[in-house]
Amino acid sequence: MTTTSVPSSESWLEVAPLQARDALLGLLPESLHWIASSVLAIAVLVGAFGLMFAYLTLAERKLLGRIQNRPGPNRTGWAGLLQPFADAVKALTKEDIVPRDADKVLHALAPVSLVALSLIGLAVIPFGRHLVAIELDAAVLYFFAAGAATELSIFMAGWASRNKYSLLAAMRALAQLISYEVPLLLSVVPVVLVAGTLSTTAIVAAQGGWAAGFWPHWHVLTPWGFSAFCLFMIAALAESNRSPFDLPEAESELIAGHLTEYSGFKYALFFMAEYFGMAALSAMAVTLFLGGWQAPLGWLEVLPSYVWFAAKLLALLAGFIWIRATFPRLRIDQLTRLAWKFLVPMALLNLANAAFWSLTAGWSGPLQAVRWAVSLAAVVVPFLLLSRSLFSGLGPRVYRYAPS
Amino acid sequence: MIGKGLLQGLAVTARNLVGSYHDPDRYTTIEYPEVKPALPEAYRNFPFLVAEKAEDPLGTLRCVACQICEKECPPQCIYIVMDRDEKGKARMKPKVFDIDTSVCMSCQICVEVCPFDAIKMDQVFEIATDERFNALLLHRDQLAKTNTYFHQIHPTEAAEVDARLAAEKKAAEEKAKAAAAAKAASAKPAPAAPANPTPPPAPAP
């Protein structure tokens, strides 16, 4: 959705979105093109991610069901495919309850601002070779600034509800989100360091090509990149309030946390924002580590770039669901300890590792093997040492009365 | 090593995800309204009355309206009126036999006390109605079901009941025969009575 001209040497599928945009813009006078182009980009993003949100909820319920050996929703429409729309109608027709003592303005503003802030990060994601809503030089910075603002919305919701559970949950959410903001950003810095740019399009372009014809130059396929990717995904899980880091809405302790006093469509907005945030962080992970829209192999480039992006994005989202289905929730002390004692040191060491990697970019031949070995050791050794020292003595719990 | 347990957990859930598509031991869901569950033979909920013939269920009820079940029923959900002819003589069958299934607690005491094997437990569990009172009050024409049906739902119990009833009937017939023979023998003046002893009574089941 940038205003670059359409290259003629590419397959028609690759340029089809651009041609569709140009055809639509052609219907309007020249003076309106700048705003129409932006509105179109917003409409496409909201439409595509809105639909993805709808079907992600269904996919999540289906996958969770199958993992728990039951079918999941399969009644509404063919195999349950209309379930998201039934849910939407239900959410829209429910009563909207606002507590008498709540701060009415903030209470209504919180879900709206949360959805808006979760969505604006998507503007800088390159979804395909030519598909990026706005090309910013500091796109990575913009993305994380927008993402960090969602913390404000969650606290807004907790504060405005005037409910003890909501407030406690909001404070907990702040502690969690600020804790995990640090490893999230620290795991991104190596990518910026190695790519030498904050622009998402340039970072994706830097990951093009293949070493030895088959090994993509994706950052995740380097030792420091793999480590940073894992750290990023753990922090992203926590940032998007997903299980096993969904403490702010731990129902056994806090009813529904900051969602306690929300009902009907406002509740649905929170739900939507969670999925938008998850999708945005996954899209950022794809962009930074998984080569963005780049195909894994040269001959696979017959598929248009946006298909590759969507495939990687959906794979990451499925991973989120898989993790949710598997792990139990952490305690608040375990959560913050994991962030400050494990993720942050690992991310800092990884930064040095990436610095080494970018300094040794010129090495070749046998030196290349040395470079890989050193970088790998710089990931594995601290990981083993840190995990041994942090988690020693915690190991298998002995049950005195229950049969083992 | 840290993370090994996490990977094991992920493997367990992945096995469930894949297994639920091909392994019936994992995927145990029965999609109920379309697929009826196979009920265990001992399953029971509400009583019904056993009739001998399908073409005339009300005429061939085993029930003799003795009202034992009515008296024994803990929640008192059974109501029986004996059928009588014009002279007030009992016809040994119920004119009214009602069971209020909104009251019945499926305890099976009526079945246990019935000396005639006339009331047994049914397996029909879809009894929801849109009417609170009369639809849940079952009359004898709704309660009467054939012995064949009883064989279908509780084959073991039905076979045992049939065998016992047949043995009782046979014993009764032989007893009647012996009694007739004894009567005939005593009517005769011949003294050969000890030479033809009555057969021992059939052992009580």
Side-chain angles (χ1 to χ4, degrees):
Chain A
M1 284 121 217
T2 50
T3 47
T4 48
S5 62
V6 177
S8 55
S9 61
E10 289 176 324
S11 72
W12 69 272
L13 268 176
E14 190 66 62
V15 293
L18 297 186
Q19 283 167 345
R21 179 203 66 192
D22 289 347
L24 272 175
L25 287 187
L27 303 174
L28 293 167
E30 188 77 32
S31 54
L32 286 177
H33 276 193
W34 63 276
I35 191 163
S37 173
S38 303
V39 168
L40 198 62
I42 293 169
V44 168
L45 273 183
V46 172
F49 275 86
L51 203 64
M52 199 190 78
F53 154 69
Y55 278 99
L56 203 57
T57 59
L58 180 66
E60 172 148 27
R61 292 171 66 183
K62 281 277 198 190
L63 276 177
L64 287 182
R66 281 290 169 175
I67 284 171
Q68 294 157 10
N69 293 324
R70 54 187 175 81
N74 62 354
R75 297 273 150 177
T76 324
W78 185 79
L81 281 180
L82 292 178
Q83 185 68 39
F85 302 102
D87 288 343
V89 170
K90 181 191 140 202
L92 278 169
T93 50
K94 275 200 160 188
E95 187 187 356
D96 176 34
I97 301 166
V98 181
R100 193 189 59 204
D101 289 335
D103 187 326
K104 305 276 188 306
V105 179
L106 278 188
H107 191 265
L109 203 58
V112 179
S113 67
L114 187 58
V115 171
L117 292 170
S118 306
L119 266 178
I120 58 174
L122 292 170
V124 293
I125 305 286
F127 296 101
R129 203 182 289 272
H130 310 293
L131 299 177
V132 56
I134 37 173
E135 234 171 287
L136 288 180
D137 287 341
V140 175
L141 194 63
Y142 163 83
F143 179 89
F144 288 105
T150 57
E151 290 154 29
L152 189 66
S153 300
I154 287 182
F155 194 73
M156 221 192 242
W159 182 260
S161 296
R162 195 179 271 242
N163 175 316
K164 297 286 185 296
Y165 289 112
S166 297
L167 185 58
L168 281 172
M171 288 162 68
R172 212 185 234 204
L174 272 190
Q176 170 181 338
L177 295 179
I178 290 171
S179 296
Y180 278 85
E181 201 71 43
V182 179
L184 187 77
L185 287 172
L186 281 179
S187 62
V188 170
V189 174
V191 176
V192 178
L193 185 76
V194 170
T197 171
L198 278 167
S199 154
T200 45
T201 44
I203 288 174
V204 173
Q207 296 178 74
W210 295 268
F214 71 97
W215 190 257
H217 284 146
W218 299 356
H219 290 144
V220 73
L221 297 176
T222 57
W224 65 268
F226 182 74
S227 170
F229 175 69
C230 292
L231 294 171
F232 184 90
M233 289 316 284
I234 294 171
L237 270 178
E239 281 292 307
S240 51
N241 281 339
R242 292 280 300 181
S243 174
F245 302 107
D246 53 350
L247 283 143
E249 40 192 295
E251 63 272 14
S252 51
E253 300 157 22
L254 292 166
I255 308 181
H258 56 280
L259 307 173
T260 307
E261 298 292 358
Y262 283 93
S263 55
F265 193 61
K266 287 179 190 162
Y267 183 86
L269 282 180
F270 275 106
F271 205 59
M272 203 189 268
E274 178 187 324
Y275 281 83
F276 282 155
M278 193 168 92
L281 279 167
S282 299
M284 201 51 172
V286 170
T287 303
L288 293 177
F289 300 104
L290 298 182
W293 43 261
Q294 311 268 9
L297 287 171
W299 58 271
L300 286 172
E301 278 180 336
V302 290
L303 287 176
S305 54
Y306 45 84
V307 170
W308 283 113
F309 188 90
K312 292 172 188 176
L313 180 62
L314 292 178
L316 281 190
L317 291 173
F320 270 92
I321 295 169
W322 187 11
I323 285 169
R324 177 180 168 184
T326 306
F327 299 137
R329 185 182 292 129
L330 271 71
R331 259 188 349 242
I332 184 77
D333 61 318
Q334 296 169 333
L335 177 98
T336 39
R337 192 178 59 177
L338 179 69
W340 292 107
K341 286 187 159 179
F342 186 74
L343 296 182
V344 171
M346 281 298 289
L348 285 172
L349 287 169
N350 201 42
L351 185 57
N353 192 4
F356 165 77
W357 187 267
S358 81
L359 282 178
T360 56
W363 291 9
S364 59
L367 278 179
Q368 185 77 2
V370 173
R371 183 194 189 208
W372 274 78
V374 169
S375 190
L376 201 61
V379 172
V380 174
V381 172
F383 173 74
L384 288 177
L385 289 178
L386 257 183
S387 58
R388 285 274 165 82
S389 64
L390 270 183
F391 298 95
S392 65
L394 296 178
R397 181 177 289 185
V398 180
Y399 294 95
R400 285 176 61 198
Y401 300 112
S404 55
Chain B
M1 194 179 80
I2 181 180
K4 206 175 92 189
L6 300 181
L7 294 179
Q8 281 170 348
L10 287 171
V12 167
T13 46
R15 268 204 299 279
N16 268 346
L17 173 65
V18 178
S20 67
Y21 280 98
H22 65 80
D23 186 356
D25 284 345
R26 287 185 192 271
Y27 185 76
T28 51
T29 304
I30 294 170
E31 298 199 20
Y32 159 60
E34 291 89 20
V35 184
K36 303 290 184 200
L39 295 170
E41 194 190 328
Y43 174 79
R44 62 184 161 94
N45 50 8
F46 296 116
F48 72 100
L49 296 175
V50 183
E52 298 294 350
K53 288 182 185 145
E55 53 269 26
D56 180 21
L58 290 185
T60 56
L61 287 179
R62 286 180 186 168
C63 178
V64 297
C66 67
Q67 295 181 316
I68 295 178
C69 53
E70 185 184 18
K71 292 190 179 73
E72 293 283 347
C73 178
Q76 303 188 357
C77 67
I78 303 178
Y79 176 68
I80 300 171
V81 174
M82 169 75 89
D83 194 12
R84 291 175 187 281
D85 60 13
E86 307 82 49
K87 293 173 190 162
K89 187 168 176 287
R91 274 195 179 125
M92 305 299 269
K93 59 178 188 166
K95 188 166 76 180
V96 176
F97 197 115
D98 288 351
I99 295 179
D100 191 346
T101 50
S102 64
V103 174
C104 176
M105 62 184 199
S106 308
C107 64
Q108 206 180 346
I109 288 178
C110 51
V111 175
E112 282 162 18
V113 299
C114 182
F116 303 99
D117 290 300
I119 188 164
K120 292 291 173 193
M121 297 307 275
D122 206 347
Q123 288 195 331
V124 177
F125 58 90
E126 290 163 318
I127 57 157
T129 65
D130 52 4
E131 208 260 337
R132 271 181 71 191
F133 303 105
N134 292 327
L136 289 169
L137 181 65
L138 302 182
H139 303 298
R140 69 186 174 134
D141 49 339
Q142 291 158 289
L143 290 167
K145 291 179 182 175
T146 59
N147 195 26
T148 323
Y149 173 76
F150 182 40
H151 270 279
Q152 281 164 9
I153 58 172
H154 297 303
T156 317
E157 190 190 356
E160 183 257 319
V161 165
D162 273 10
R164 193 174 68 233
L165 287 181
E168 277 171 13
K169 198 176 169 189
K170 202 178 156 201
E173 273 171 6
E174 279 179 5
K175 202 175 165 189
K177 221 198 268 173
K183 207 176 169 187
S186 66
K188 275 185 190 172
N196 189 13
T198 51

